[in-house]
Amino acid sequence: MSKENAVLDRSTLDPSLYRDAMSRYAGHVQIVTTAHDGERRGVTITAACSVSDSPAMVLACVNASNSKNAIFEKSGHFALNALAADQIHLANAFSGRDPSMTPQERFALGDWQELATGAPVLKNALAAFDCRLVELTVMATHMVLIGEVMGVSFGEHRPALIYMDRGYHTL
């Protein structure tokens, strides 16, 4: 079967082929964060977007197979923190590439605050959206978090951090 026809038959689409195609799709690098019962969680993501401006809502996707991500549902809130090019160290720390780093060590690399929900908000993020979780849906490998924006903060305007072709870039 040709690659063109593989697209039409879901049972034959090779996940690595899909990942190769998605690697050419540029995404803004963000850290989605939450806190619950004294525990904080943060994950580097590129799958996030605006859903609506009235009411203000955003969508963020996190890996459903990681049991540590269950905290997003338990907490009932999350923050979406858009990173600047000079925050690549945070993107790497929260990506899980270094599994020896504790959540405390990761969060110690940034300056955090709380706005409305109690989720950790990065003070100098390009933009941060503090959200109340209104819906969580598991779709295949990921949890789709939809949040109503309860607060917004802005850092200094500077170049954005983008992920494309399996590497970081700036825009």
Side-chain angles (χ1 to χ4, degrees):
M1 175 180 293
S2 72
K3 285 186 180 182
E4 293 80 17
N5 290 337
V7 172
L8 301 176
D9 185 353
R10 291 181 72 191
S11 65
T12 63
L13 185 60
D14 179 359
S16 65
L17 178 65
Y18 174 78
R19 286 191 301 274
D20 286 344
M22 287 304 296
S23 74
R24 297 181 183 188
Y25 188 88
H28 193 154
V29 181
Q30 302 178 63
I31 299 173
V32 62
T33 58
T34 194
H36 182 66
D37 286 343
E39 180 184 351
R40 293 191 295 180
R41 175 92 176 130
V43 181
T44 300
I45 66 168
T46 56
C49 65
S50 171
V51 173
S52 170
D53 67 353
S54 184
M57 300 182 90
V58 297
L59 172 153
C61 299
V62 296
N63 193 320
S65 67
N66 188 329
S67 62
K68 293 179 183 176
N69 287 338
I71 190 173
F72 287 99
E73 184 171 20
K74 290 178 193 170
S75 71
H77 59 260
F78 65 92
L80 191 57
N81 302 278
L83 299 183
D86 63 350
Q87 294 173 314
I88 194 167
H89 66 288
L90 290 170
N92 284 327
F94 283 90
S95 72
R97 289 181 180 166
D98 182 355
S100 69
M101 281 188 83
T102 67
Q104 295 80 9
E105 291 170 327
R106 290 180 176 117
F107 278 97
L109 296 173
D111 192 8
W112 303 89
Q113 64 183 340
E114 292 181 10
L115 297 180
T117 70
V121 173
L122 186 61
K123 284 186 180 179
N124 62 346
L126 289 179
F129 303 90
D130 186 22
C131 304
R132 176 179 66 86
L133 182 66
V134 294
E135 188 172 336
L136 184 148
T137 303
V138 176
M139 279 296 214
T141 60
H142 280 68
M143 291 189 299
V144 180
L145 312 172
I146 298 177
E148 180 180 7
V149 180
M150 308 304 291
V152 176
S153 69
F154 297 91
E156 180 184 326
H157 187 79
R158 54 204 198 281
L161 184 61
I162 304 295
Y163 193 78
M164 184 174 167
D165 291 329
R166 294 186 172 94
Y168 294 114
H169 304 276
T170 177
L171 181 65

